[in-house]
Amino acid sequence: MSALRIEQGSTSHSAYDLRDYHAEVIEKHTLAVLVDNEAGVLARVIGLFSGRGFNIESLTVAEVNHENHLSRITIVTTGTRDVIEQIKAQVGRIVPVHDVHDLTVEGPSIERELALFKVEGTGNNRIEALRLAEIFRANVVDSTLESFVFEMTGTSEKIDAFADLMRPLGLVETARTGVAALARGSAI
């Protein structure tokens, strides 16, 4: 009888590789949608997601062209490749939508998020919070004898990591803008 050969990373709960290799992989995608800046457009785009059970992980909206009254909606969502393609096609069919780009697959892109963190603490916790803020390049934008408010810009992962480290030091409140993203280079 031969020894069991278990591939590393197969699972931590079983001696057998139980992964379904035919199952589709859930992926995170960042979509940039250019729309007319008019009442109800955002509600129509978001209604499409909620009506079909699609999840939105991050959503940012701002007017980007004042002369032509155009806004950019940046949506971070998850799904299989087929679901993402379905989302893009359905969003593209909404009348005030001018353009839909999947920044995840169209080439290199830059994603950033802004966050504010209120941390309350005294003594060593206060000193450690300041030390970690310096390491993460977070700025102190407000300070009292009992608390700090830190401002930080970076990837969502960087912001999550900073929040995780601040929790035991007295993190009491967080505000995040959501992801802003652009394609790199000359791509749109």
Side-chain angles (χ1 to χ4, degrees):
M1 184 175 207
S2 65
L4 286 175
R5 293 194 179 152
I6 301 172
E7 290 183 35
Q8 187 176 18
S10 57
T11 180
S12 62
H13 303 291
S14 174
Y16 303 99
D17 186 357
L18 302 174
R19 290 177 287 184
D20 182 1
Y21 290 99
H22 301 292
E24 293 189 62
V25 177
I26 303 294
E27 301 173 342
K28 183 186 286 191
H29 286 253
T30 302
L31 306 178
V33 184
L34 192 62
V35 300
D36 288 337
N37 186 17
E38 59 186 42
V41 174
L42 179 61
R44 290 173 66 190
V45 171
I46 301 316
L48 182 143
F49 278 79
S50 65
R52 289 165 180 77
F54 302 143
N55 187 43
I56 296 175
E57 291 191 9
S58 174
L59 174 70
T60 57
V61 184
E63 187 175 53
V64 293
N65 185 325
H66 299 293
E67 294 169 1
N68 295 328
H69 303 288
L70 297 175
S71 289
R72 180 186 179 101
I73 303 173
T74 305
I75 303 167
V76 178
T77 188
T78 56
T80 63
R81 287 183 188 205
D82 291 341
V83 167
I84 299 297
E85 289 302 319
Q86 181 183 8
I87 289 170
K88 291 188 319 191
Q90 291 175 354
V91 168
R93 283 195 289 266
I94 297 174
V95 171
V97 171
H98 293 275
D99 221 353
V100 179
H101 290 281
D102 186 346
L103 298 176
T104 305
V105 297
E106 291 181 10
S109 62
I110 304 294
E111 293 185 6
R112 292 293 183 268
E113 186 174 358
L114 172 75
L116 298 173
F117 301 93
K118 184 186 288 183
V119 179
E120 292 181 350
T122 58
N124 288 336
N125 283 355
R126 192 171 171 89
I127 294 167
E128 183 65 10
L130 283 170
R131 189 184 71 75
L132 287 171
E134 185 177 340
I135 291 169
F136 277 82
R137 295 187 178 143
N139 298 316
V140 176
V141 292
D142 184 55
S143 178
T144 67
L145 294 175
E146 298 86 29
S147 69
F148 289 112
V149 174
F150 297 107
E151 172 191 66
M152 185 159 117
T153 304
T155 63
S156 296
E157 294 80 15
K158 178 182 176 183
I159 289 172
D160 290 340
F162 186 72
D164 290 342
L165 290 171
M166 286 295 157
R167 273 189 195 89
L169 300 176
L171 179 65
V172 293
E173 192 173 359
T174 304
R176 297 174 75 154
T177 61
V179 173
L182 287 174
R184 292 186 66 188
S186 60
I188 295 176

Short mmCIF file of all heavy atoms in Angstrom, two decimals, residues 63-110:
data_model
loop_
_atom_site.label_atom_id
_atom_site.label_comp_id
_atom_site.label_asym_id
_atom_site.label_seq_id
_atom_site.Cartn_x
_atom_site.Cartn_y
_atom_site.Cartn_z
N GLU A 63 -18.73 64.39 -10.41
CA GLU A 63 -18.75 65.02 -11.72
C GLU A 63 -17.30 65.23 -12.16
O GLU A 63 -16.48 65.74 -11.41
CB GLU A 63 -19.48 66.35 -11.67
CG GLU A 63 -19.66 66.96 -13.06
CD GLU A 63 -20.50 68.22 -13.05
OE1 GLU A 63 -20.18 69.14 -12.28
OE2 GLU A 63 -21.47 68.26 -13.81
N VAL A 64 -16.99 64.79 -13.38
CA VAL A 64 -15.62 64.90 -13.89
C VAL A 64 -15.50 65.84 -15.08
O VAL A 64 -14.39 66.21 -15.47
CB VAL A 64 -15.05 63.50 -14.27
CG1 VAL A 64 -14.87 62.65 -13.03
CG2 VAL A 64 -15.92 62.82 -15.30
N ASN A 65 -16.62 66.23 -15.67
CA ASN A 65 -16.60 67.15 -16.80
C ASN A 65 -17.77 68.11 -16.63
O ASN A 65 -18.92 67.76 -16.92
CB ASN A 65 -16.69 66.38 -18.12
CG ASN A 65 -16.56 67.28 -19.33
OD1 ASN A 65 -17.00 68.42 -19.34
ND2 ASN A 65 -15.96 66.74 -20.39
N HIS A 66 -17.48 69.33 -16.14
CA HIS A 66 -18.53 70.30 -15.85
C HIS A 66 -19.21 70.81 -17.12
O HIS A 66 -20.42 71.03 -17.12
CB HIS A 66 -17.97 71.48 -15.04
CG HIS A 66 -17.41 71.07 -13.72
ND1 HIS A 66 -18.18 70.57 -12.70
CD2 HIS A 66 -16.13 71.05 -13.25
CE1 HIS A 66 -17.43 70.28 -11.66
NE2 HIS A 66 -16.16 70.56 -11.97
N GLU A 67 -18.44 71.01 -18.18
CA GLU A 67 -19.00 71.55 -19.43
C GLU A 67 -20.03 70.61 -20.05
O GLU A 67 -21.07 71.04 -20.54
CB GLU A 67 -17.89 71.85 -20.43
CG GLU A 67 -16.95 72.95 -19.99
CD GLU A 67 -15.71 73.04 -20.86
OE1 GLU A 67 -15.59 72.26 -21.82
OE2 GLU A 67 -14.87 73.91 -20.57
N ASN A 68 -19.71 69.32 -20.08
CA ASN A 68 -20.61 68.34 -20.68
C ASN A 68 -21.50 67.63 -19.67
O ASN A 68 -22.24 66.71 -20.03
CB ASN A 68 -19.79 67.29 -21.45
CG ASN A 68 -19.05 67.90 -22.61
OD1 ASN A 68 -19.53 68.86 -23.24
ND2 ASN A 68 -17.88 67.38 -22.90
N HIS A 69 -21.40 68.03 -18.40
CA HIS A 69 -22.21 67.45 -17.33
C HIS A 69 -22.09 65.93 -17.28
O HIS A 69 -23.08 65.20 -17.31
CB HIS A 69 -23.68 67.88 -17.45
CG HIS A 69 -23.86 69.36 -17.46
ND1 HIS A 69 -23.69 70.13 -16.34
CD2 HIS A 69 -24.15 70.22 -18.47
CE1 HIS A 69 -23.87 71.40 -16.65
NE2 HIS A 69 -24.15 71.49 -17.94
N LEU A 70 -20.83 65.46 -17.19
CA LEU A 70 -20.57 64.03 -17.11
C LEU A 70 -20.02 63.67 -15.74
O LEU A 70 -19.21 64.41 -15.17
CB LEU A 70 -19.55 63.60 -18.19
CG LEU A 70 -19.98 63.79 -19.63
CD1 LEU A 70 -18.83 63.43 -20.57
CD2 LEU A 70 -21.20 62.94 -19.94
N SER A 71 -20.45 62.54 -15.22
CA SER A 71 -19.95 62.02 -13.95
C SER A 71 -19.31 60.66 -14.17
O SER A 71 -19.65 59.95 -15.11
CB SER A 71 -21.09 61.87 -12.94
OG SER A 71 -21.54 63.13 -12.51
N ARG A 72 -18.41 60.33 -13.27
CA ARG A 72 -17.75 59.03 -13.32
C ARG A 72 -18.17 58.25 -12.09
O ARG A 72 -18.05 58.73 -10.96
CB ARG A 72 -16.24 59.22 -13.34
CG ARG A 72 -15.44 57.93 -13.39
CD ARG A 72 -13.96 58.26 -13.24
NE ARG A 72 -13.15 57.08 -13.27
CZ ARG A 72 -12.46 56.66 -14.33
NH1 ARG A 72 -12.49 57.36 -15.44
NH2 ARG A 72 -11.74 55.57 -14.27
N ILE A 73 -18.65 57.05 -12.32
CA ILE A 73 -19.00 56.13 -11.24
C ILE A 73 -17.93 55.04 -11.24
O ILE A 73 -17.71 54.39 -12.26
CB ILE A 73 -20.40 55.49 -11.46
CG1 ILE A 73 -21.48 56.56 -11.60
CG2 ILE A 73 -20.72 54.52 -10.33
CD1 ILE A 73 -22.84 56.01 -11.99
N THR A 74 -17.27 54.86 -10.11
CA THR A 74 -16.30 53.78 -9.97
C THR A 74 -16.90 52.75 -9.04
O THR A 74 -17.26 53.06 -7.89
CB THR A 74 -14.96 54.30 -9.41
OG1 THR A 74 -14.48 55.36 -10.25
CG2 THR A 74 -13.92 53.19 -9.35
N ILE A 75 -17.03 51.53 -9.54
CA ILE A 75 -17.68 50.45 -8.80
C ILE A 75 -16.69 49.30 -8.66
O ILE A 75 -16.12 48.84 -9.66
CB ILE A 75 -18.93 49.94 -9.54
CG1 ILE A 75 -19.92 51.08 -9.78
CG2 ILE A 75 -19.58 48.79 -8.77
CD1 ILE A 75 -21.03 50.73 -10.75
N VAL A 76 -16.50 48.82 -7.43
CA VAL A 76 -15.75 47.59 -7.21
C VAL A 76 -16.78 46.52 -6.87
O VAL A 76 -17.58 46.68 -5.94
CB VAL A 76 -14.72 47.74 -6.06
CG1 VAL A 76 -13.99 46.42 -5.83
CG2 VAL A 76 -13.74 48.86 -6.39
N THR A 77 -16.77 45.45 -7.65
CA THR A 77 -17.74 44.37 -7.46
C THR A 77 -17.05 43.03 -7.59
O THR A 77 -15.90 42.95 -8.04
CB THR A 77 -18.89 44.50 -8.49
OG1 THR A 77 -19.92 43.56 -8.17
CG2 THR A 77 -18.41 44.28 -9.91
N THR A 78 -17.73 41.98 -7.21
CA THR A 78 -17.19 40.63 -7.32
C THR A 78 -18.15 39.74 -8.08
O THR A 78 -19.35 39.97 -8.07
CB THR A 78 -16.92 40.01 -5.93
OG1 THR A 78 -18.14 40.03 -5.18
CG2 THR A 78 -15.84 40.74 -5.18
N GLY A 79 -17.59 38.72 -8.71
CA GLY A 79 -18.40 37.75 -9.43
C GLY A 79 -17.53 36.89 -10.33
O GLY A 79 -16.33 37.13 -10.47
N THR A 80 -18.15 35.92 -10.94
CA THR A 80 -17.43 35.10 -11.91
C THR A 80 -17.23 35.93 -13.17
O THR A 80 -17.84 36.99 -13.33
CB THR A 80 -18.23 33.83 -12.25
OG1 THR A 80 -19.46 34.23 -12.87
CG2 THR A 80 -18.51 32.99 -11.01
N ARG A 81 -16.40 35.46 -14.08
CA ARG A 81 -16.17 36.21 -15.32
C ARG A 81 -17.47 36.43 -16.08
O ARG A 81 -17.70 37.51 -16.62
CB ARG A 81 -15.17 35.48 -16.21
CG ARG A 81 -13.77 35.57 -15.69
CD ARG A 81 -12.79 34.92 -16.60
NE ARG A 81 -11.49 34.89 -15.93
CZ ARG A 81 -10.36 34.83 -16.55
NH1 ARG A 81 -10.31 34.77 -17.85
NH2 ARG A 81 -9.23 34.82 -15.87
N ASP A 82 -18.32 35.41 -16.11
CA ASP A 82 -19.60 35.55 -16.81
C ASP A 82 -20.48 36.61 -16.15
O ASP A 82 -21.14 37.40 -16.84
CB ASP A 82 -20.34 34.21 -16.86
CG ASP A 82 -19.66 33.20 -17.77
OD1 ASP A 82 -18.85 33.62 -18.63
OD2 ASP A 82 -19.94 32.00 -17.64
N VAL A 83 -20.51 36.63 -14.83
CA VAL A 83 -21.32 37.62 -14.10
C VAL A 83 -20.79 39.02 -14.37
O VAL A 83 -21.57 39.95 -14.62
CB VAL A 83 -21.34 37.30 -12.59
CG1 VAL A 83 -21.89 38.47 -11.79
CG2 VAL A 83 -22.15 36.05 -12.33
N ILE A 84 -19.46 39.20 -14.35
CA ILE A 84 -18.87 40.52 -14.61
C ILE A 84 -19.22 40.98 -16.03
O ILE A 84 -19.58 42.14 -16.25
CB ILE A 84 -17.35 40.51 -14.39
CG1 ILE A 84 -17.00 40.15 -12.94
CG2 ILE A 84 -16.73 41.84 -14.79
CD1 ILE A 84 -17.49 41.13 -11.89
N GLU A 85 -19.13 40.09 -16.99
CA GLU A 85 -19.49 40.43 -18.38
C GLU A 85 -20.96 40.82 -18.47
O GLU A 85 -21.32 41.75 -19.18
CB GLU A 85 -19.17 39.27 -19.33
CG GLU A 85 -17.69 39.07 -19.56
CD GLU A 85 -16.99 40.29 -20.13
OE1 GLU A 85 -17.55 40.97 -21.02
OE2 GLU A 85 -15.88 40.59 -19.66
N GLN A 86 -21.81 40.10 -17.75
CA GLN A 86 -23.25 40.42 -17.72
C GLN A 86 -23.48 41.79 -17.11
O GLN A 86 -24.26 42.59 -17.63
CB GLN A 86 -23.99 39.34 -16.93
CG GLN A 86 -25.47 39.55 -16.86
CD GLN A 86 -26.17 38.51 -16.00
OE1 GLN A 86 -25.53 37.70 -15.34
NE2 GLN A 86 -27.48 38.55 -15.99
N ILE A 87 -22.79 42.10 -16.02
CA ILE A 87 -22.91 43.41 -15.37
C ILE A 87 -22.52 44.51 -16.35
O ILE A 87 -23.24 45.50 -16.52
CB ILE A 87 -22.04 43.48 -14.10
CG1 ILE A 87 -22.62 42.61 -12.99
CG2 ILE A 87 -21.90 44.92 -13.63
CD1 ILE A 87 -21.69 42.45 -11.79
N LYS A 88 -21.36 44.36 -17.00
CA LYS A 88 -20.89 45.39 -17.94
C LYS A 88 -21.89 45.59 -19.08
O LYS A 88 -22.18 46.74 -19.46
CB LYS A 88 -19.52 45.02 -18.50
CG LYS A 88 -18.42 45.08 -17.46
CD LYS A 88 -17.02 44.89 -17.99
CE LYS A 88 -16.82 43.85 -19.04
NZ LYS A 88 -15.42 43.54 -19.34
N ALA A 89 -22.41 44.52 -19.62
CA ALA A 89 -23.36 44.63 -20.73
C ALA A 89 -24.65 45.33 -20.29
O ALA A 89 -25.16 46.20 -21.00
CB ALA A 89 -23.68 43.25 -21.28
N GLN A 90 -25.15 44.98 -19.11
CA GLN A 90 -26.40 45.57 -18.64
C GLN A 90 -26.23 47.03 -18.25
O GLN A 90 -27.10 47.86 -18.52
CB GLN A 90 -26.98 44.75 -17.48
CG GLN A 90 -27.47 43.39 -17.96
CD GLN A 90 -27.95 42.51 -16.83
OE1 GLN A 90 -27.83 42.83 -15.66
NE2 GLN A 90 -28.50 41.36 -17.18
N VAL A 91 -25.11 47.37 -17.62
CA VAL A 91 -24.85 48.77 -17.28
C VAL A 91 -24.70 49.59 -18.56
O VAL A 91 -25.22 50.71 -18.66
CB VAL A 91 -23.59 48.91 -16.38
CG1 VAL A 91 -23.15 50.36 -16.27
CG2 VAL A 91 -23.86 48.33 -15.00
N GLY A 92 -24.03 49.04 -19.55
CA GLY A 92 -23.83 49.74 -20.82
C GLY A 92 -25.12 50.03 -21.58
O GLY A 92 -25.16 50.94 -22.40
N ARG A 93 -26.18 49.26 -21.30
CA ARG A 93 -27.46 49.47 -21.99
C ARG A 93 -28.33 50.55 -21.34
O ARG A 93 -29.34 50.96 -21.91
CB ARG A 93 -28.24 48.16 -22.04
CG ARG A 93 -27.72 47.21 -23.09
CD ARG A 93 -28.71 46.10 -23.38
NE ARG A 93 -28.82 45.17 -22.28
CZ ARG A 93 -28.13 44.03 -22.18
NH1 ARG A 93 -27.29 43.69 -23.12
NH2 ARG A 93 -28.30 43.23 -21.15
N ILE A 94 -27.96 51.02 -20.15
CA ILE A 94 -28.73 52.08 -19.51
C ILE A 94 -28.50 53.36 -20.31
O ILE A 94 -27.37 53.72 -20.63
CB ILE A 94 -28.29 52.25 -18.03
CG1 ILE A 94 -28.60 50.98 -17.25
CG2 ILE A 94 -28.99 53.46 -17.40
CD1 ILE A 94 -28.09 51.00 -15.82
N VAL A 95 -29.56 54.07 -20.64
CA VAL A 95 -29.51 55.19 -21.59
C VAL A 95 -28.48 56.27 -21.26
O VAL A 95 -27.70 56.62 -22.13
CB VAL A 95 -30.92 55.80 -21.81
CG1 VAL A 95 -30.84 57.07 -22.61
CG2 VAL A 95 -31.82 54.79 -22.47
N PRO A 96 -28.41 56.83 -20.04
CA PRO A 96 -27.44 57.91 -19.84
C PRO A 96 -26.00 57.45 -19.65
O PRO A 96 -25.13 58.25 -19.35
CB PRO A 96 -27.95 58.62 -18.59
CG PRO A 96 -28.81 57.66 -17.89
CD PRO A 96 -29.30 56.69 -18.91
N VAL A 97 -25.71 56.14 -19.83
CA VAL A 97 -24.35 55.64 -19.70
C VAL A 97 -23.63 55.81 -21.03
O VAL A 97 -24.11 55.37 -22.07
CB VAL A 97 -24.34 54.15 -19.27
CG1 VAL A 97 -22.93 53.58 -19.34
CG2 VAL A 97 -24.90 54.01 -17.86
N HIS A 98 -22.46 56.48 -21.00
CA HIS A 98 -21.68 56.71 -22.22
C HIS A 98 -20.62 55.65 -22.44
O HIS A 98 -20.32 55.29 -23.58
CB HIS A 98 -20.99 58.08 -22.16
CG HIS A 98 -21.96 59.22 -22.18
ND1 HIS A 98 -22.46 59.75 -23.34
CD2 HIS A 98 -22.55 59.91 -21.17
CE1 HIS A 98 -23.30 60.73 -23.06
NE2 HIS A 98 -23.37 60.85 -21.75
N ASP A 99 -20.02 55.15 -21.35
CA ASP A 99 -18.89 54.24 -21.48
C ASP A 99 -18.76 53.38 -20.23
O ASP A 99 -18.99 53.86 -19.12
CB ASP A 99 -17.61 55.08 -21.64
CG ASP A 99 -16.67 54.52 -22.66
OD1 ASP A 99 -16.91 53.41 -23.16
OD2 ASP A 99 -15.66 55.19 -22.95
N VAL A 100 -18.38 52.12 -20.41
CA VAL A 100 -18.12 51.21 -19.30
C VAL A 100 -16.76 50.57 -19.54
O VAL A 100 -16.53 49.98 -20.60
CB VAL A 100 -19.19 50.11 -19.19
CG1 VAL A 100 -18.87 49.17 -18.03
CG2 VAL A 100 -20.58 50.70 -19.03
N HIS A 101 -15.85 50.70 -18.56
CA HIS A 101 -14.52 50.10 -18.67
C HIS A 101 -14.28 49.20 -17.47
O HIS A 101 -14.54 49.59 -16.32
CB HIS A 101 -13.42 51.17 -18.71
CG HIS A 101 -13.41 51.95 -19.97
ND1 HIS A 101 -12.86 51.49 -21.13
CD2 HIS A 101 -13.91 53.18 -20.25
CE1 HIS A 101 -12.99 52.39 -22.08
NE2 HIS A 101 -13.63 53.44 -21.57
N ASP A 102 -13.78 48.00 -17.72
CA ASP A 102 -13.36 47.09 -16.66
C ASP A 102 -11.86 47.29 -16.49
O ASP A 102 -11.05 46.74 -17.23
CB ASP A 102 -13.68 45.65 -17.04
CG ASP A 102 -13.40 44.67 -15.92
OD1 ASP A 102 -12.72 45.05 -14.94
OD2 ASP A 102 -13.87 43.52 -16.02
N LEU A 103 -11.48 48.12 -15.53
CA LEU A 103 -10.08 48.47 -15.33
C LEU A 103 -9.24 47.27 -14.91
O LEU A 103 -8.03 47.26 -15.11
CB LEU A 103 -9.95 49.59 -14.30
CG LEU A 103 -10.62 50.91 -14.68
CD1 LEU A 103 -10.49 51.91 -13.54
CD2 LEU A 103 -10.03 51.48 -15.95
N THR A 104 -9.87 46.25 -14.37
CA THR A 104 -9.15 45.06 -13.93
C THR A 104 -8.58 44.28 -15.10
O THR A 104 -7.48 43.74 -15.01
CB THR A 104 -10.08 44.15 -13.10
OG1 THR A 104 -10.63 44.93 -12.04
CG2 THR A 104 -9.34 42.96 -12.52
N VAL A 105 -9.30 44.24 -16.23
CA VAL A 105 -8.84 43.42 -17.36
C VAL A 105 -8.30 44.24 -18.52
O VAL A 105 -7.67 43.68 -19.41
CB VAL A 105 -9.98 42.50 -17.88
CG1 VAL A 105 -10.39 41.52 -16.80
CG2 VAL A 105 -11.16 43.28 -18.38
N GLU A 106 -8.53 45.54 -18.54
CA GLU A 106 -8.11 46.36 -19.67
C GLU A 106 -6.67 46.81 -19.61
O GLU A 106 -6.22 47.53 -20.49
CB GLU A 106 -9.04 47.57 -19.82
CG GLU A 106 -10.44 47.18 -20.26
CD GLU A 106 -11.35 48.38 -20.44
OE1 GLU A 106 -10.86 49.52 -20.40
OE2 GLU A 106 -12.55 48.15 -20.61
N GLY A 107 -5.94 46.41 -18.61
CA GLY A 107 -4.54 46.80 -18.49
C GLY A 107 -4.24 47.34 -17.12
O GLY A 107 -5.09 47.35 -16.23
N PRO A 108 -3.02 47.83 -16.94
CA PRO A 108 -2.63 48.33 -15.61
C PRO A 108 -3.47 49.55 -15.21
O PRO A 108 -3.80 50.38 -16.05
CB PRO A 108 -1.17 48.72 -15.78
CG PRO A 108 -0.77 48.39 -17.16
CD PRO A 108 -1.96 47.90 -17.91
N SER A 109 -3.79 49.61 -13.94
CA SER A 109 -4.56 50.74 -13.42
C SER A 109 -4.06 51.11 -12.03
O SER A 109 -3.36 50.34 -11.39
CB SER A 109 -6.06 50.42 -13.39
OG SER A 109 -6.30 49.34 -12.51
N ILE A 110 -4.44 52.29 -11.59
CA ILE A 110 -4.09 52.80 -10.27
C ILE A 110 -5.38 52.90 -9.47
O ILE A 110 -6.36 53.47 -9.94
CB ILE A 110 -3.46 54.21 -10.36
CG1 ILE A 110 -2.26 54.22 -11.29
CG2 ILE A 110 -3.12 54.74 -8.98
CD1 ILE A 110 -1.09 53.42 -10.80
#
